Amino acid sequence: MGRGVAATVESKAREDAIERARNESPFLREAMLARPDLVEIFAVKGAEAAVVRSLAADADDLATEIRRRRHGLALTVALGDLAGEIGLERVTQLLSDFAEEAIDRALACAIIERVPDADPTGIAVIALGKLGSRELNYSSDVDLILLYDPAKLPRRARDDAGEAAVRIGRRLIELLQQRTADGYVARVDLRLRPSPEVTPIVLPVGAAIAYYESTALPWERAAFIRARACGGDRALGGHFLEAIQPFIWRRTLDFGVIDEIRSISMGVRDHYAQVQAFGPGYDVKRGRGGIREVEFFTQAQQMIHGGREPSLRAPATLDALAALSAAGHLEAKLAGELADAYRLHRTIEHRLQMIDDQQTHRLPAEPKALDAVARLHGLTNGKALLKLLEPHVKRVGAAFDGLASGETRTLSKDPDKLRAELADLGFGEIDTVMKRIAEWRSAHARSLRATAARTAFEKMLPGLLAAVATGPNPSRALNRFGDVVERMSSGVNFYRLLEAQPALTRLLAEILSHAPVLADQLARRPELLDGLIDASSFDPPPDVAALTARLKQSKRGESYDAALDRVRRLINERRFALGVQIIARRHDPLDVAGGYSRVAEAAVVALGDAAIEEFAATHGRIEGGEFIILALGRLGGEALTHASDLDLIYLFDAPDGARSDGAKSLVATDYYNRLASRVTAALSVATAAGPLYEVD
C-alpha cells in the first residue's frame, strides 16, 4: 500500500471515529465542542500528537490544571481508540501514567499546603487494582492504600503524626475527585486498606506490615499481585511491599488458592446474579465469562506458582498470561483465547464508559442504548455486538468453571461400598487397605487434624489409591505413604497439590512403590514434591559453575546459618529430583550419576566458600596460604549415587611460621585443620533443613 493510499485510509478512519463519537457519545460530543483544537490535531496529525497536546494544558493552580489535562486526555485517547490508532495496552498505559503523575503531584501539593517547602517524604501511595498493573479503565476508580512513617512525615510542630497524615490524605482525595467546572481527575477508593470500616484513611506503615504478616485475608493476596508504589515516598512504599512479599508469594505451592478463588467468584456471582446471564444487561466485568473471571483465573495460577517462579509475578493480566504460557503452566491455545477475550471485553467496557464518562460495565438492557454502544464500536447494532462477544464469553466461562469446579469424587464411608470401590481399583488385600483408610480417617495423624486437611485428603485419596493399586506391592506402598502422613506436621497443601496434579500423584505412587529413601525424604519435607510440577525439574542439572552461582545467590542480611539452610534446601531439591528421574526412567542412570556429582561439587564449593568466609571473620586469613579440597571415590569419578558418601581430602600450603591475621590468630596448621572441620560440618551436620551428605 502506497503512502498516499495509507494516508487516505488513516484520514477516513479518523473522520469516522470523530463522527461516531459525535453521534453516539454525549460525553465525547461535549468534549469535542470544548476542545476543537484537539479534534483538529487528531484529524490532521493523529492520536499520539493529540495526546501530547492534551497533556500540555496548564493553569494557575494544580487542581484546574490536572482536570483540564484529564479531560483532554479522555477525548484524545477515545478518538485514537475508536480510529484503531491506539490499542488497548497503549490506552490503559496512557490513562495509568496520567493518573500516577496526578496522584504524585496532588500529594506533594497537599503536603506543601500544610508544611511549605517540605519534601514529599514519610507518606506513600500504594496503587492496587488496575492502576497498580497500569491497566486503568477509561473511566475508573483508583484503588489506593495510603501509608505514613511517623518519624519522617512532614508536619507542623504541634501536630500529631496520625492526625496530620489523615489531613494530608483528605486533601489528596479532594484534589483528585472533587468535581468542579473543569470536571474531576479520578474517583478514589480506599476500601482495600486493612479493616477499612475501623481504620483511618492513612495508616502507619508498621501497623500495615503487621496486619499483612498476621491477620490479612486470603483474597488480599490476589489484590497485592498488582500492587506498586505510585506516589509520594516511593522508598517507603517499596519498603512496605518488600516486607509483605512472603504474604503475597508463598514458596510452597498452595493449591488451596483455587478454593479461595472459587469462593470469591461464587460470592461475586451471587451478589450480581441479575447480570450473569449473557445478553442485554450483561456485565462484561462481573458476569460469567467476563473480565473478572479472566483476572481471577490468571491470578490463581500466579499465586500457585509465583512463589517459586518470580517470572510469573507480572502485574498486568496480558503479561501474566504470556508468562504462564511461556513457563508451561498454561496451554498456549488457552492463554491466547483468554488474552483475546480480555482485550475485547476491556475494549467494549471502554465503549460503555465513553458514552457518559461513567464507571459502568453493563451492556444496556434497552435496545436503542445497546445499539448506540455497538455503533460507537463500529458495528451496525446491538445484535452484532452480542454476536461478537458471545464466543469469548463462553470460552472464558468454560475455562473458569474448570478451574473452580467443586465436583470431586471421594471414596465412600460405607464399608460395603468402600470394599466394592477398592475391588474396582484392583486391590487384592482389601481388608488391609480398608484398615489403613480407617486409621487415616480417625485423624490421629497430626497432618490430618485440621478440617481443611481432611477435606483435601479425601479429595486426593481416590487418585492416589488408583495409582498405587497398579504397582508391584500396593500394601508396602501404602505403608510408606502412611509414614509420610504420620510424620508431616501439616498436610493441607501437600494433599491439595496431589488432588490438583494427577500426574504428580502417579509419580508419587512410583516413589512409594520403588524408592523408600525418597519416600522418607518426602515425609521430612513434603514440599519437595512441589518442585516436580515444573517440567524443568526433569532436565539434567546445569554445569557446576551455574549451579554454584545459583547456590551463592544470598539474600540481603542473610546469616551464616540461614545461608547453610538455604543451600541445603536447594541441594536436597536437586537430589530428590534426580532420584525421581531414575524412578520415572527419564534419563540413563549414568547420566543421572553425573548430575548427582555436579550437584555435590557445587555444594562443596558453595558451602566451602561460605564456611571459609565465616571462619575468616573470626580468625582472619593467612597471607600466601592455599586451601584445596580433593574429591576421590565416586565424586572424583563423577559417578555419585543418591546415597553416596563424599570422599574428600583437604590439603593446605602456607609459608613457614605463617599465622592468620584475624582477631583470634592461629598458626597455619591449626588454622587449616579447624577450617577443614568447619567445611565438613557445613556439608554434613543436620540442620533445620535436614541432612545433606556424609563426609569421609
Side-chain angles (χ1 to χ4, degrees):
M1 184 184 293
R3 288 187 60 187
V5 175
T8 301
V9 172
E10 285 180 354
S11 177
K12 188 175 186 311
R14 291 169 188 164
E15 291 174 4
D16 183 56
I18 293 169
E19 188 67 16
R20 281 185 281 137
R22 181 181 293 116
N23 292 338
E24 311 300 343
S25 168
F27 168 70
L28 294 178
R29 181 165 58 247
E30 292 298 321
M32 287 191 290
L33 290 173
R35 295 297 304 272
D37 58 316
L38 295 179
V39 179
E40 182 177 356
I41 292 173
F42 168 72
V44 176
K45 296 183 179 180
E48 291 291 350
V51 165
V52 171
R53 177 63 175 270
S54 72
L55 294 175
D58 57 14
D60 293 335
D61 64 280
L62 177 69
T64 301
E65 177 188 320
I66 56 180
R67 279 161 175 74
R68 290 179 180 175
R69 290 188 178 187
R70 188 266 169 186
H71 195 259
L73 182 66
L75 171 60
T76 54
V77 163
L79 292 176
D81 186 359
L82 293 173
E85 290 188 17
I86 303 179
L88 174 67
E89 289 93 327
R90 178 63 173 156
V91 168
T92 57
Q93 178 195 14
L94 287 167
L95 296 172
S96 301
D97 288 350
F98 168 75
E100 179 173 356
E101 179 187 0
I103 290 168
D104 203 33
R105 294 181 64 194
L107 180 61
C109 179
I111 292 172
I112 290 172
E113 286 179 355
R114 292 193 59 79
V115 187
D117 301 323
D119 293 326
T121 60
I123 186 166
V125 182
I126 306 297
L128 286 80
K130 289 186 170 63
L131 177 58
S133 56
R134 292 188 170 88
E135 300 173 291
L136 205 60
N137 287 339
Y138 185 79
S139 180
S140 176
D141 289 354
V142 290
D143 296 309
L144 307 178
I145 292 178
L146 308 180
L147 305 171
Y148 76 96
D149 181 346
K152 297 181 180 179
L153 180 74
R155 52 185 166 138
R156 299 166 184 168
R158 295 184 179 181
D159 279 354
D160 173 78
E163 292 178 0
V166 168
R167 290 192 182 101
I168 292 170
R170 286 175 179 162
R171 180 56 175 152
L172 167 67
I173 295 168
E174 182 182 31
L175 285 168
L176 292 174
Q177 73 177 19
Q178 184 180 54
R179 288 185 178 270
T180 70
D182 296 296
Y184 71 105
V185 181
R187 292 173 291 268
V188 179
D189 190 340
L190 300 176
R191 290 175 296 176
L192 292 182
R193 72 184 187 276
S195 306
E197 65 282 355
V198 296
T199 55
I201 61 172
V202 189
L203 299 171
V205 66
I209 291 172
Y211 171 82
Y212 291 109
E213 286 179 339
S214 59
T215 58
L217 300 173
W219 65 264
E220 290 171 292
R221 288 180 61 200
F224 273 93
I225 288 177
R226 301 193 284 189
R228 65 186 175 91
C230 77
D233 190 336
R234 283 175 168 77
L236 175 63
H239 163 69
F240 165 73
L241 292 173
E242 179 68 23
I244 67 169
Q245 287 300 296
F247 160 69
I248 307 168
W249 304 111
R250 298 175 183 173
R251 190 176 183 278
T252 300
L253 294 173
D254 183 5
F255 279 85
V257 72
I258 293 179
D259 291 331
E260 295 170 8
I261 292 293
R262 179 191 305 146
S263 177
I264 295 170
S265 178
M266 293 306 105
V268 170
R269 285 184 175 179
D270 291 344
H271 187 72
Y272 296 98
Q274 73 278 15
V275 294
Q276 291 298 312
F278 183 72
Y282 171 74
D283 192 315
V284 296
K285 178 179 179 179
R286 304 179 184 92
R288 179 186 181 277
I291 293 167
R292 183 161 281 175
E293 293 196 353
V294 179
E295 293 172 343
F296 282 175
F297 182 95
T298 306
Q299 289 164 359
Q301 306 299 329
Q302 287 179 283
M303 286 191 286
I304 290 169
H305 302 287
R308 296 173 63 92
E309 300 177 59
S311 64
L312 304 180
R313 299 177 187 178
T317 302
L318 293 172
D319 292 342
L321 286 169
L324 288 164
S325 177
H329 297 301
L330 204 58
E331 291 183 1
K333 181 175 183 291
L334 177 58
E337 290 174 348
L338 292 175
D340 290 344
Y342 187 75
R343 285 191 178 91
L344 179 61
H345 287 352
R346 290 294 308 275
T347 300
I348 299 305
E349 179 184 48
H350 286 179
R351 300 291 179 265
L352 294 168
Q353 294 172 350
M354 287 175 188
I355 298 290
D356 286 310
D357 191 24
Q358 295 293 316
Q359 189 193 14
T360 182
H361 317 281
R362 291 181 59 178
L363 299 177
E366 202 273 325
K368 288 184 178 180
L370 184 61
D371 288 344
V373 175
R375 289 194 296 268
L376 184 63
H377 189 60
L379 301 173
T380 55
N381 53 39
K383 289 183 179 179
L385 177 59
L386 294 174
K387 184 177 180 181
L388 177 65
L389 280 168
E390 186 172 20
H392 296 280
V393 169
K394 287 182 176 178
R395 287 192 195 104
V396 173
F400 188 85
D401 288 344
L403 171 72
S405 173
E407 298 180 7
T408 305
R409 185 177 68 86
T410 59
L411 294 173
S412 176
K413 290 183 170 60
D414 178 274
D416 293 333
K417 292 181 179 179
L418 177 59
R419 183 178 294 277
E421 289 171 342
L422 294 175
D424 289 341
L425 290 174
F427 281 101
E429 300 176 6
I430 292 179
D431 288 338
T432 301
V433 180
M434 289 186 66
K435 182 179 179 181
R436 176 65 72 179
I437 293 173
E439 290 173 359
W440 292 330
R441 285 176 168 172
S442 71
H444 289 314
R446 185 166 48 169
S447 70
L448 288 169
R449 288 175 187 169
T451 301
R454 291 195 298 274
T455 300
F457 184 87
E458 290 289 350
K459 289 180 178 179
M460 73 84 203
L461 190 57
L464 178 68
L465 293 180
V468 166
T470 61
N473 193 327
S475 295
R476 182 182 299 171
L478 286 183
N479 287 338
R480 288 172 182 161
F481 184 66
D483 292 339
V484 174
V485 171
E486 289 290 334
R487 293 176 186 174
M488 281 193 299
S489 59
S490 175
V492 60
N493 286 336
F494 182 76
Y495 303 139
R496 284 170 171 171
L497 173 61
L498 293 175
E499 179 210 348
Q501 296 284 316
L504 206 58
T505 303
R506 292 190 291 271
L507 192 56
L508 173 62
E510 290 200 54
I511 293 171
L512 296 171
S513 298
H514 302 289
V517 173
L518 297 184
D520 287 343
Q521 283 186 269
L522 269 182
R524 289 192 300 269
R525 287 189 59 207
E527 68 272 15
L528 286 171
L529 206 62
D530 295 355
L532 302 183
I533 291 179
D534 186 352
S536 66
S537 63
F538 293 103
D539 295 337
D543 60 35
V544 173
L547 277 170
T548 304
R550 172 71 181 90
L551 296 177
K552 287 186 172 184
Q553 288 177 356
S554 63
K555 299 178 180 179
R556 185 172 55 191
E558 185 178 51
S559 68
Y560 176 65
D561 289 340
L564 293 187
D565 279 349
R566 176 180 53 79
V567 172
R568 284 164 182 270
R569 282 194 294 269
L570 294 172
I571 290 293
N572 279 327
E573 286 173 7
R574 284 283 185 179
R575 294 177 70 203
F576 183 80
L578 286 164
V580 173
Q581 288 179 22
I582 293 177
I583 297 301
R585 298 172 292 281
R586 294 297 183 95
H587 296 289
D588 186 287
L590 292 178
D591 293 332
V592 176
Y596 274 125
S597 302
R598 294 195 298 278
V599 170
E601 184 174 345
V604 170
V605 175
L607 290 172
D609 286 351
I612 289 169
E613 292 299 318
E614 176 71 7
F615 191 76
T618 301
H619 300 287
R621 302 178 190 275
I622 294 181
E623 185 176 355
E626 291 185 275
F627 180 66
I628 298 171
I629 303 175
L630 295 182
L632 285 76
R634 287 186 174 274
L635 178 57
E638 297 183 344
L640 214 61
T641 68
H642 192 89
S644 293
D645 292 348
L646 302 185
D647 295 316
L648 305 178
I649 292 179
Y650 300 115
L651 301 175
F652 79 90
D653 187 26
D656 289 342
R659 295 185 66 93
S660 64
D661 57 10
K664 296 184 178 180
S665 179
L666 296 170
V667 298
T669 301
D670 290 343
Y671 182 92
Y672 285 112
N673 274 284
R674 291 192 189 183
L675 176 57
S677 296
R678 185 69 63 92
V679 172
T680 298
L683 289 165
S684 61
V685 173
T687 71
L692 197 57
Y693 294 104
E694 292 292 330
V695 177
D696 187 353

